[in-house]
Amino acid sequence: MAKKTYDLLFKLLLIGDSGVGKTCVLFRFSDDAFNTTFISTIGIDFKIKTVELQGKKIKLQIWDTAGQERFHTITTSYYRGAMGIMLVYDITNAKSFENISKWLRNIDEHANEDVERMLLGNKCDMEDKRVVSKAKGEQIAREHGIRFFETSAKANINIEKAFLTLAEDILRKTPVKEPNSENVDISSGGGVTGWKSKCC
Amino acid sequence: PPPAQPLGRNLKAVLCQRCGSRVLLPGAATFAHRELLLPAMRKKAAAAAGGGGDVVREHWLVRDMFSFENVGFTRDVGNVKFLVCADCEAGPIGWHCLDDKDSFYVALERVAHE
Protein backbone atom coordinates (compact mmCIF):
# COMPACT_ATOMS: atom_id res chain seq x y z
CA MET A 1 0.00 0.00 0.00
CA ALA A 2 3.02 2.30 -0.08
CA LYS A 3 1.94 3.42 -3.53
CA LYS A 4 2.62 7.04 -4.31
CA THR A 5 -0.69 8.82 -4.71
CA TYR A 6 0.55 12.09 -6.16
CA ASP A 7 2.44 13.22 -9.23
CA LEU A 8 4.64 16.07 -8.07
CA LEU A 9 5.96 17.60 -4.88
CA PHE A 10 6.78 21.31 -4.71
CA LYS A 11 8.64 22.86 -1.81
CA LEU A 12 7.56 26.45 -1.12
CA LEU A 13 8.85 29.01 1.38
CA LEU A 14 6.99 31.88 3.01
CA ILE A 15 9.38 34.71 3.73
CA GLY A 16 8.98 38.21 5.14
CA ASP A 17 9.28 40.32 8.28
CA SER A 18 7.61 39.06 11.42
CA GLY A 19 4.07 40.32 11.89
CA VAL A 20 3.22 40.47 8.20
CA GLY A 21 0.32 38.13 8.76
CA LYS A 22 1.50 34.57 8.89
CA THR A 23 -0.25 33.92 12.20
CA CYS A 24 -3.51 35.70 11.50
CA VAL A 25 -5.29 32.45 10.64
CA LEU A 26 -5.78 31.92 14.34
CA PHE A 27 -7.39 35.30 14.90
CA ARG A 28 -10.29 34.44 12.63
CA PHE A 29 -11.40 31.77 15.05
CA SER A 30 -10.13 33.14 18.32
CA ASP A 31 -13.52 33.47 19.99
CA ASP A 32 -14.78 29.95 19.34
CA ALA A 33 -14.57 26.79 21.44
CA PHE A 34 -11.10 25.83 20.28
CA ASN A 35 -7.97 26.34 22.32
CA THR A 36 -5.50 28.36 20.23
CA THR A 37 -2.94 29.06 22.93
CA PHE A 38 -0.97 25.86 22.57
CA ILE A 39 -0.57 25.94 18.77
CA SER A 40 0.19 29.65 18.56
CA THR A 41 2.83 29.31 21.27
CA ILE A 42 4.69 26.44 19.62
CA GLY A 43 4.26 27.69 16.07
CA ILE A 44 3.85 25.88 12.79
CA ASP A 45 6.88 24.39 11.09
CA PHE A 46 5.38 23.47 7.73
CA LYS A 47 2.15 22.47 6.04
CA ILE A 48 1.23 19.99 3.36
CA LYS A 49 -1.49 21.00 0.95
CA THR A 50 -2.80 19.15 -2.07
CA VAL A 51 -3.85 20.83 -5.31
CA GLU A 52 -4.74 19.57 -8.75
CA LEU A 53 -3.39 21.36 -11.77
CA GLN A 54 -3.64 20.20 -15.38
CA GLY A 55 -4.75 16.78 -14.22
CA LYS A 56 -1.75 16.37 -11.94
CA LYS A 57 -2.05 15.88 -8.23
CA ILE A 58 0.52 18.14 -6.65
CA LYS A 59 1.63 18.18 -3.03
CA LEU A 60 2.79 21.54 -1.76
CA GLN A 61 5.08 21.50 1.23
CA ILE A 62 4.93 25.03 2.59
CA TRP A 63 7.58 26.18 5.07
CA ASP A 64 7.00 29.17 7.29
CA THR A 65 9.93 31.25 8.48
CA ALA A 66 8.13 32.58 11.57
CA GLY A 67 10.61 33.23 14.34
CA GLN A 68 13.63 33.44 12.04
CA GLU A 69 12.86 36.65 10.25
CA ARG A 70 16.29 38.13 10.19
CA PHE A 71 18.23 38.23 6.98
CA HIS A 72 21.41 36.82 8.45
CA THR A 73 19.62 33.76 9.82
CA ILE A 74 18.20 32.79 6.46
CA THR A 75 20.97 31.44 4.31
CA THR A 76 21.66 28.82 1.71
CA SER A 77 20.66 25.83 3.79
CA TYR A 78 17.24 27.30 4.41
CA TYR A 79 16.59 27.84 0.72
CA ARG A 80 17.90 24.44 -0.35
CA GLY A 81 15.40 22.60 -2.51
CA ALA A 82 12.93 25.49 -2.54
CA MET A 83 11.11 25.73 -5.86
CA GLY A 84 8.92 28.69 -4.97
CA ILE A 85 9.15 31.61 -2.59
CA MET A 86 6.29 33.80 -1.41
CA LEU A 87 7.69 37.08 -0.21
CA VAL A 88 5.16 38.70 2.10
CA TYR A 89 4.82 42.25 3.43
CA ASP A 90 2.06 43.98 5.35
CA ILE A 91 0.33 46.88 3.57
CA THR A 92 -0.16 48.55 6.97
CA ASN A 93 3.55 48.35 7.83
CA ALA A 94 5.96 50.53 5.79
CA LYS A 95 9.05 48.87 7.25
CA SER A 96 7.96 45.42 6.08
CA PHE A 97 7.68 46.84 2.55
CA GLU A 98 11.04 48.62 2.70
CA ASN A 99 12.62 45.32 3.69
CA ILE A 100 11.33 43.60 0.54
CA SER A 101 14.40 44.80 -1.37
CA LYS A 102 16.64 43.23 1.26
CA TRP A 103 14.69 40.00 1.11
CA LEU A 104 14.99 39.95 -2.67
CA ARG A 105 18.76 40.43 -2.38
CA ASN A 106 18.89 37.66 0.22
CA ILE A 107 17.03 35.36 -2.19
CA ASP A 108 19.40 36.29 -5.03
CA GLU A 109 22.40 35.50 -2.85
CA HIS A 110 21.24 32.28 -1.31
CA ALA A 111 18.43 30.65 -3.25
CA ASN A 112 18.60 28.58 -6.40
CA GLU A 113 18.62 31.02 -9.31
CA ASP A 114 15.60 29.49 -11.04
CA VAL A 115 13.41 29.60 -7.93
CA GLU A 116 9.97 31.02 -8.74
CA ARG A 117 9.29 34.17 -6.72
CA MET A 118 6.05 35.96 -5.90
CA LEU A 119 5.34 39.15 -3.95
CA LEU A 120 2.31 39.37 -1.65
CA GLY A 121 0.99 42.51 0.05
CA ASN A 122 -1.02 41.03 2.90
CA LYS A 123 -3.82 42.45 5.10
CA CYS A 124 -5.53 44.21 2.18
CA ASP A 125 -8.78 44.04 4.18
CA MET A 126 -7.34 46.78 6.44
CA GLU A 127 -7.81 49.62 3.98
CA ASP A 128 -8.13 52.26 6.72
CA LYS A 129 -4.65 51.43 8.00
CA ARG A 130 -2.97 51.10 4.61
CA VAL A 131 0.38 52.87 4.26
CA VAL A 132 1.75 51.04 1.20
CA SER A 133 -0.18 51.73 -2.00
CA LYS A 134 -0.98 48.92 -4.37
CA ALA A 135 0.95 50.81 -7.08
CA LYS A 136 4.16 50.63 -5.01
CA GLY A 137 3.80 46.89 -4.68
CA GLU A 138 3.13 46.54 -8.40
CA GLN A 139 6.16 48.67 -9.21
CA ILE A 140 8.70 46.68 -7.19
CA ALA A 141 7.26 43.44 -8.55
CA ARG A 142 7.59 44.77 -12.11
CA GLU A 143 11.17 45.89 -11.48
CA HIS A 144 12.07 42.36 -10.42
CA GLY A 145 9.93 40.60 -12.99
CA ILE A 146 7.81 38.76 -10.47
CA ARG A 147 4.10 38.32 -9.89
CA PHE A 148 2.24 40.38 -7.33
CA PHE A 149 -1.01 39.95 -5.43
CA GLU A 150 -2.60 41.81 -2.60
CA THR A 151 -4.00 39.27 -0.19
CA SER A 152 -6.03 38.99 2.95
CA ALA A 153 -5.94 35.82 4.97
CA LYS A 154 -8.58 37.28 7.25
CA ALA A 155 -11.03 38.12 4.47
CA ASN A 156 -9.94 35.18 2.34
CA ILE A 157 -8.83 37.30 -0.63
CA ASN A 158 -6.39 35.98 -3.25
CA ILE A 159 -4.65 33.48 -0.94
CA GLU A 160 -5.83 30.45 -2.88
CA LYS A 161 -5.12 32.20 -6.16
CA ALA A 162 -1.59 33.05 -5.05
CA PHE A 163 -0.75 29.46 -4.12
CA LEU A 164 -2.29 28.06 -7.28
CA THR A 165 -0.53 30.60 -9.49
CA LEU A 166 2.83 29.90 -7.90
CA ALA A 167 2.28 26.16 -8.29
CA GLU A 168 1.30 26.70 -11.95
CA ASP A 169 4.43 28.75 -12.61
CA ILE A 170 6.58 26.00 -11.11
CA LEU A 171 4.71 23.33 -13.04
CA ARG A 172 5.35 25.22 -16.28
CA LYS A 173 9.09 25.00 -15.64
CA THR A 174 8.96 21.35 -14.60
CA PRO A 175 10.25 19.01 -17.31
CA VAL A 176 7.44 17.00 -18.84
CA LYS A 177 7.68 13.36 -17.90
CA GLU A 178 5.66 10.50 -19.30
CA PRO A 179 3.13 9.66 -16.64
CA ASN A 180 4.15 6.58 -14.75
CA SER A 181 1.10 4.49 -14.05
CA GLU A 182 2.61 3.45 -10.73
CA ASN A 183 2.46 7.02 -9.57
CA VAL A 184 -0.99 7.98 -10.74
CA ASP A 185 -4.00 7.72 -8.54
CA ILE A 186 -6.78 7.34 -11.06
CA SER A 187 -9.45 7.74 -8.41
CA SER A 188 -8.71 11.42 -7.95
CA GLY A 189 -11.11 13.85 -9.55
CA GLY A 190 -10.50 17.28 -11.00
CA GLY A 191 -10.20 20.59 -9.26
CA VAL A 192 -8.61 21.60 -6.02
CA THR A 193 -9.14 19.28 -3.09
CA GLY A 194 -9.62 20.51 0.41
CA TRP A 195 -8.31 23.97 -0.25
CA LYS A 196 -9.88 26.36 2.20
CA SER A 197 -7.26 29.02 1.59
CA LYS A 198 -7.31 30.44 5.06
CA CYS A 199 -3.58 30.18 5.35
CA CYS A 200 -1.54 33.34 5.39
CA PRO B 1 -17.50 3.00 16.45
CA PRO B 2 -14.74 3.98 14.04
CA PRO B 3 -15.90 4.14 10.44
CA ALA B 4 -13.38 1.55 9.34
CA GLN B 5 -13.41 -1.01 6.57
CA PRO B 6 -12.82 -4.67 7.40
CA LEU B 7 -9.20 -4.12 6.43
CA GLY B 8 -8.97 -1.44 9.09
CA ARG B 9 -8.60 1.43 6.66
CA ASN B 10 -10.69 4.57 7.00
CA LEU B 11 -13.87 4.24 4.98
CA LYS B 12 -14.67 7.93 5.17
CA ALA B 13 -12.61 11.04 4.56
CA VAL B 14 -11.02 12.58 7.65
CA LEU B 15 -11.86 16.26 8.11
CA CYS B 16 -11.08 19.11 10.49
CA GLN B 17 -13.81 19.48 13.14
CA ARG B 18 -13.67 23.25 12.97
CA CYS B 19 -13.37 24.20 9.31
CA GLY B 20 -13.97 20.95 7.41
CA SER B 21 -10.59 20.98 5.70
CA ARG B 22 -9.80 17.57 4.19
CA VAL B 23 -7.02 15.90 6.15
CA LEU B 24 -7.11 12.38 4.68
CA LEU B 25 -8.87 10.77 1.75
CA PRO B 26 -10.84 7.56 2.36
CA GLY B 27 -8.49 4.59 2.65
CA ALA B 28 -5.37 6.64 3.32
CA ALA B 29 -4.83 5.38 6.88
CA THR B 30 -5.17 2.29 9.05
CA PHE B 31 -6.82 2.02 12.45
CA ALA B 32 -4.35 1.76 15.34
CA HIS B 33 -4.42 1.62 19.13
CA ARG B 34 -1.84 3.60 21.02
CA GLU B 35 -1.99 5.57 24.24
CA LEU B 36 -0.86 9.13 23.57
CA LEU B 37 -1.13 12.37 25.52
CA LEU B 38 -2.32 15.26 23.37
CA PRO B 39 -2.55 18.85 24.63
CA ALA B 40 -6.18 20.00 24.87
CA MET B 41 -7.79 21.09 21.61
CA ARG B 42 -10.85 22.79 23.09
CA LYS B 43 -10.99 25.59 25.63
CA LYS B 44 -13.24 23.66 27.97
CA ALA B 45 -10.89 20.68 28.00
CA ALA B 46 -7.89 22.98 28.43
CA ALA B 47 -9.47 24.58 31.49
CA ALA B 48 -10.42 21.20 32.93
CA ALA B 49 -6.97 19.78 32.35
CA GLY B 50 -5.26 22.80 33.88
CA GLY B 51 -2.85 23.10 31.00
CA GLY B 52 -2.45 19.35 30.61
CA GLY B 53 -4.07 17.30 27.92
CA ASP B 54 -6.16 14.26 27.07
CA VAL B 55 -5.08 10.67 26.81
CA VAL B 56 -6.25 9.43 23.42
CA ARG B 57 -6.14 5.80 22.36
CA GLU B 58 -7.72 5.37 18.92
CA HIS B 59 -5.96 6.72 15.87
CA TRP B 60 -5.70 6.73 12.14
CA LEU B 61 -2.12 5.70 11.38
CA VAL B 62 -0.53 7.22 8.27
CA ARG B 63 2.76 5.82 6.96
CA ASP B 64 3.78 8.49 4.45
CA MET B 65 3.68 12.20 5.28
CA PHE B 66 2.60 12.98 1.73
CA SER B 67 -0.44 10.74 2.05
CA PHE B 68 -2.07 13.64 3.88
CA GLU B 69 -4.28 15.85 1.76
CA ASN B 70 -3.89 18.85 4.02
CA VAL B 71 -2.11 18.97 7.36
CA GLY B 72 0.17 21.21 9.39
CA PHE B 73 3.14 20.21 11.56
CA THR B 74 4.10 22.20 14.64
CA ARG B 75 7.68 22.96 15.56
CA ASP B 76 9.38 20.30 17.67
CA VAL B 77 8.30 19.79 21.25
CA GLY B 78 11.09 17.54 22.48
CA ASN B 79 11.16 14.79 19.85
CA VAL B 80 7.50 15.24 18.92
CA LYS B 81 5.68 17.26 16.30
CA PHE B 82 1.95 17.75 16.73
CA LEU B 83 -0.38 17.69 13.74
CA VAL B 84 -2.88 20.50 13.16
CA CYS B 85 -5.41 21.49 10.53
CA ALA B 86 -3.54 23.04 7.59
CA ASP B 87 -6.28 25.59 6.99
CA CYS B 88 -7.52 26.83 10.37
CA GLU B 89 -4.72 25.45 12.57
CA ALA B 90 -7.11 23.77 15.01
CA GLY B 91 -5.36 21.07 16.97
CA PRO B 92 -3.45 19.16 18.00
CA ILE B 93 -5.32 16.57 15.95
CA GLY B 94 -2.40 14.17 15.90
CA TRP B 95 1.09 13.19 16.89
CA HIS B 96 4.38 12.35 15.20
CA CYS B 97 7.56 11.22 16.94
CA LEU B 98 10.82 12.15 15.21
CA ASP B 99 12.24 8.77 16.27
CA ASP B 100 9.72 6.97 14.07
CA LYS B 101 9.82 8.65 10.68
CA ASP B 102 7.10 6.50 9.13
CA SER B 103 4.31 6.89 11.67
CA PHE B 104 1.81 9.72 11.88
CA TYR B 105 -1.11 9.34 14.31
CA VAL B 106 -4.40 11.20 13.86
CA ALA B 107 -6.70 10.94 16.91
CA LEU B 108 -10.18 9.73 15.93
CA GLU B 109 -11.88 11.85 18.56
CA ARG B 110 -10.17 15.02 17.30
CA VAL B 111 -11.36 14.86 13.69
CA ALA B 112 -14.64 14.55 11.79
CA HIS B 113 -15.51 11.78 9.32
CA GLU B 114 -17.53 12.22 6.16
Side-chain angles (χ1 to χ4, degrees):
Chain A
M1 281 307 293
K3 193 178 69 172
K4 212 168 121 189
T5 54
Y6 59 95
D7 301 302
L8 293 163
L9 171 61
F10 294 165
K11 179 182 170 184
L12 310 181
L13 303 182
L14 281 168
I15 282 179
D17 284 9
S18 65
V20 296
K22 294 183 233 148
T23 54
C24 62
V25 175
L26 290 170
F27 300 141
R28 295 183 64 169
F29 295 93
S30 57
D31 56 352
D32 72 359
F34 285 78
N35 170 33
T36 57
T37 315
F38 178 74
I39 304 297
S40 56
T41 303
I42 307 174
I44 306 292
D45 198 9
F46 64 87
K47 292 178 178 178
I48 292 166
K49 290 190 169 241
T50 305
V51 299
E52 288 212 13
L53 286 173
Q54 298 165 26
K56 290 184 175 8
K57 192 162 183 175
I58 300 171
K59 298 280 174 178
L60 306 178
Q61 190 179 29
I62 304 160
W63 294 80
D64 197 328
T65 57
Q68 317 162 40
E69 291 102 340
R70 290 193 188 89
F71 309 114
H72 63 268
T73 64
I74 298 195
T75 56
T76 308
S77 64
Y78 190 79
Y79 287 113
R80 189 163 294 137
M83 300 154 87
I85 295 174
M86 284 179 159
L87 189 47
V88 190
Y89 68 90
D90 171 355
I91 67 152
T92 71
N93 177 340
K95 187 74 188 164
S96 74
F97 182 71
E98 288 159 25
N99 280 338
I100 289 298
S101 309
K102 295 183 192 170
W103 282 116
L104 283 164
R105 268 202 301 280
N106 188 271
I107 292 168
D108 283 346
E109 277 173 41
H110 297 294
N112 196 320
E113 69 178 49
D114 63 1
V115 71
E116 198 63 46
R117 298 164 304 163
M118 174 176 279
L119 181 66
L120 301 181
N122 197 30
K123 303 193 189 174
C124 68
D125 55 291
M126 295 172 70
E127 199 54 57
D128 53 326
K129 292 189 175 144
R130 178 193 285 273
V131 294
V132 182
S133 70
K134 191 174 181 185
K136 282 177 88 174
E138 285 167 344
Q139 185 188 342
I140 194 166
R142 200 163 45 237
E143 284 166 10
H144 289 87
I146 60 180
R147 285 187 199 273
F148 171 67
F149 293 102
E150 282 199 341
T151 53
S152 166
K154 196 176 165 201
N156 207 2
I157 299 168
N158 272 347
I159 300 280
E160 173 178 357
K161 191 173 172 188
F163 275 107
L164 282 173
T165 305
L166 186 59
E168 265 171 355
D169 289 344
I170 296 168
L171 181 60
R172 200 166 298 125
K173 295 204 291 201
T174 305
V176 182
K177 207 177 69 179
E178 276 303 301
N180 176 350
S181 61
E182 292 281 307
N183 294 349
V184 177
D185 177 11
I186 53 166
S187 66
S188 59
V192 179
T193 55
W195 193 283
K196 291 280 176 175
S197 66
K198 283 168 195 151
C199 168
C200 21
Chain B
Q5 290 169 324
L7 288 168
R9 302 195 81 85
N10 58 310
L11 182 62
K12 295 181 175 181
V14 171
L15 312 178
C16 170
Q17 286 181 358
R18 176 155 65 173
C19 76
S21 173
R22 193 163 289 248
V23 180
L24 290 166
L25 291 180
T30 51
F31 182 72
H33 276 282
R34 180 160 178 185
E35 207 162 281
L36 295 173
L37 181 69
L38 290 186
M41 181 166 83
R42 290 172 184 269
K43 282 178 183 158
K44 232 178 218 176
D54 310 323
V55 175
V56 289
R57 294 183 176 83
E58 297 185 326
H59 308 273
W60 293 120
L61 174 58
V62 176
R63 290 303 191 179
D64 173 3
M65 180 167 78
F66 297 107
S67 294
F68 285 97
E69 286 298 286
N70 299 284
V71 75
F73 286 77
T74 65
R75 295 181 191 287
D76 301 354
V77 180
N79 60 349
V80 166
K81 280 182 180 298
F82 293 101
L83 310 188
V84 302
C85 170
D87 288 317
C88 78
E89 297 179 3
I93 59 169
W95 186 93
H96 169 63
C97 180
L98 299 173
D99 299 333
D100 183 359
K101 297 221 171 296
D102 303 320
S103 297
F104 305 85
Y105 292 88
V106 177
L108 259 68
E109 63 187 64
R110 299 241 175 146
V111 290
H113 298 89
E114 186 183 279

